[in-house]
Amino acid sequence: MMSKKTDKNQLILPIEGILYDQRFLEAHVGGQILHDPKTAIVELIANAWDGGATEVKISWPNGKGIRRFSVKDNGTGMTDEEFRHRWRMLYYNRRAEQGPQVVFPKDLADGRPERIAFGRNGIGRWSGFCFGEEYFVDTSKDGRRNRYKVAKGTDQPFAIEQVVADKQVNRHGTLIECPDCKKVSLSPEDARGEIGMRFPHGPQFSGVSQRPGGRLLGYR
């Protein structure tokens, strides 16, 4: 830290950094995204839609010992650079950065009708905090996979740690998961109904089937 002296020989110390109260994130994104599972799951599916996904799979905690929550899509995914830019920026301007149109993965784009993105300011990415104090983002694009832990911060609104770096894979898409999900008051059937109501003109929502790791909701 550099200091300077005034003409009167007084020592002046510059003020550095920004301080955040623990309530900042809730004020920024709104209480529903952080506390209402109906809102949170719809936001996460909207993100998958905006990412060019044609299939979204949801693992839902069953309230009987299985606590994992996840949303997995087959969209374009993100590079490490894209993730770092989008997740670290508050009020990310989706329209200015990516445009209003959804970009599909190359292997899913042929003959597909034009799709308009839902997202505008990027607050839906914080929906993972509705299910736990930390969540993971596992994303693959251009044959490279990266995984990150996103946790609520103390002196900052959130903290990000990369746990897998640039691993070669033969897939694309994004997985958002909370391995140790807190208790969710919304049943898989109610979640399915909410999704079907919010996306009546989108891909058809399929039934519920029991899978290892929780109930799986297929959204196609």
Side-chain angles (χ1 to χ4, degrees):
M1 178 184 296
M2 300 295 294
S3 62
K4 63 180 180 178
K5 292 186 177 181
T6 67
D7 292 339
K8 294 183 180 180
N9 232 19
Q10 292 178 320
L11 185 64
I12 304 297
L13 296 177
I15 298 176
E16 297 182 351
I18 298 175
L19 302 177
Y20 295 90
D21 186 85
Q22 292 184 348
R23 299 170 296 173
F24 173 83
L25 192 60
E26 184 159 340
H28 169 59
V29 305
Q32 282 190 309
I33 284 179
L34 297 179
H35 302 295
D36 179 15
K38 288 183 180 180
T39 301
I41 191 59
V42 167
E43 289 285 345
L44 290 172
I45 291 177
N47 282 355
W49 170 276
D50 291 357
T54 61
E55 180 178 273
V56 179
K57 295 181 179 180
I58 304 167
S59 180
W60 199 265
N62 66 0
K64 300 178 182 179
I66 297 175
R67 298 173 61 93
R68 181 176 181 267
F69 165 82
S70 69
V71 177
K72 181 180 181 180
D73 69 57
N74 66 341
T76 57
M78 291 173 282
T79 64
D80 179 57
E81 181 180 2
E82 288 171 340
F83 173 86
R84 290 172 184 267
H85 178 69
R86 296 171 189 176
W87 245 256
R88 291 167 57 223
M89 181 175 290
L90 299 175
Y91 278 115
Y92 172 75
N93 191 334
R94 202 269 182 207
R95 295 294 174 96
E97 298 266 358
Q98 298 175 252
Q101 305 292 333
V102 169
V103 176
F104 294 97
K106 293 179 181 179
D107 60 329
L108 300 177
D110 290 347
R112 197 164 295 281
E114 185 178 273
R115 181 186 291 183
I116 302 297
F118 287 110
R120 295 188 177 184
N121 54 22
I123 61 174
R125 66 185 183 272
W126 308 119
S127 298
F129 285 139
C130 181
F131 302 95
E133 295 298 301
E134 63 182 35
Y135 65 93
F136 292 84
V137 181
D138 200 310
T139 185
S140 302
K141 184 177 181 180
D142 298 334
R144 298 294 175 180
R145 172 192 169 215
N146 292 279
R147 182 177 175 88
Y148 312 86
K149 181 173 76 172
V150 184
K152 290 184 178 179
T154 52
D155 57 346
Q156 297 289 319
F158 55 90
I160 299 175
E161 176 186 356
Q162 188 169 18
V163 294
V164 174
D166 202 32
K167 183 177 180 180
Q168 187 172 357
V169 293
N170 186 27
R171 64 174 184 267
H172 53 74
T174 298
L175 166 71
I176 294 180
E177 66 175 335
C178 181
D180 189 22
C181 178
K182 61 187 179 183
K183 185 177 180 180
V184 177
S185 58
L186 188 67
S187 71
E189 291 75 18
D190 288 340
R192 179 181 58 189
E194 187 69 19
I195 294 166
M197 181 178 67
R198 296 297 184 94
F199 295 90
H201 303 298
Q204 295 300 307
F205 183 75
S206 68
V208 180
S209 60
Q210 186 69 42
R211 297 286 182 87
R215 289 179 179 266
L216 184 73
L217 309 179
Y219 183 65
R220 300 176 185 275

